[in-house]
Amino acid sequence: AGCSPSLRGPSVRAGSEAYALIPPPTPETASLDYVIGPLDTLDITVFNEPEISSKGVPVDASGNLALPLIGRVRATGLTATSLADALRDRYGRFYVDPQITVIVTSSVSQRVTVQGEVKEPGIYEVRGSTTLLDAIALAKGEDENAAMREVLIIRNIDGKRMAAIFDVNRIRRGDDPDPAIMGKDVIVVGHSNSKQA
């Protein structure tokens, strides 16, 4: 009661349906390496070869890198380790056993938007396993008028915009699990009219 009615609707899942749509992290998903996406920025270091090492290399919108000697290389969908292996194979035609490291320095594809009744709404970069409580903490927590029983996560699933509503108070008490957040999710913390009153 007293919460924003805009967060409710026929397409919004709640309760067990919300967790079926947006489940908590599992040990398998928590240990997954970051997958490079379009417009990310990478540092590529070839040991003892500064002329082909590159800092701030952008992944283009189609998911490719442009690198010295080897030209265009597909990066999207790979982890930093698997991209380093692919580069090692390509540069191996020119160098003996090149040692290559790849570091993601800026992630565009792994950003979440946090809106509504939080102290610092905005777009935040997420790395590794991130949950709803983590995302709210990135936005410096909820403000005094937040309806923490009605926090919405919006996600594109198979090309469809889907939404699920969660009770953060129950999550903080340990009554409900903390759902996993993915890049491009939108989190909306509702407004409580009763708190404002």
Side-chain angles (χ1 to χ4, degrees):
C3 297
S4 173
S6 63
L7 295 187
R8 292 285 187 186
S11 62
V12 177
R13 308 287 196 278
S16 60
E17 286 186 4
Y19 282 101
L21 190 67
I22 301 178
T26 63
E28 293 78 28
T29 58
S31 63
L32 289 177
D33 284 340
Y34 173 74
V35 175
I36 296 165
L39 308 180
D40 287 354
T41 305
L42 312 177
D43 282 355
I44 298 168
T45 305
V46 185
F47 183 68
N48 278 342
E49 301 294 345
E51 68 279 0
I52 58 168
S53 296
S54 306
K55 288 195 177 298
V57 181
V59 180
D60 67 22
S62 59
N64 297 309
L65 298 170
L67 295 172
L69 284 179
I70 59 173
R72 287 165 58 88
V73 178
R74 186 83 180 158
T76 296
L78 300 177
T79 65
T81 303
S82 55
L83 177 58
D85 291 342
L87 295 178
R88 193 173 295 119
D89 291 341
R90 297 281 289 271
Y91 278 118
R93 289 182 268 167
F94 305 98
Y95 297 90
V96 176
D97 191 26
Q99 301 302 305
I100 299 174
T101 56
V102 176
I103 298 170
V104 179
T105 55
S106 173
S107 165
V108 171
S109 60
Q110 293 298 305
R111 291 183 178 174
V112 298
T113 302
V114 186
Q115 302 175 340
E117 300 296 322
V118 290
K119 291 178 180 168
E120 292 188 12
I123 299 171
Y124 295 93
E125 191 172 314
V126 293
R127 294 284 178 94
S129 180
T130 304
T131 66
L132 177 56
L133 291 182
D134 296 333
I136 292 170
L138 288 172
K140 305 296 187 276
E142 69 271 19
D143 70 18
E144 63 274 9
N145 296 321
M148 297 312 287
R149 292 187 305 150
E150 298 210 347
V151 176
L152 196 67
I153 301 175
I154 303 167
R155 178 176 295 172
N156 284 319
I157 300 173
D158 298 327
K160 290 184 179 175
R161 198 166 161 87
M162 309 290 280
I165 201 159
F166 296 92
D167 184 337
V168 170
N169 292 333
R170 287 183 57 83
I171 294 168
R172 283 181 173 153
R173 287 196 305 264
D175 296 335
D176 289 343
D178 194 2
I181 297 300
M182 295 173 56
K184 300 181 182 171
D185 281 355
V186 177
I187 297 157
V188 183
V189 177
H191 177 80
S192 170
N193 293 326
S194 61
K195 281 187 179 179
Q196 185 176 19

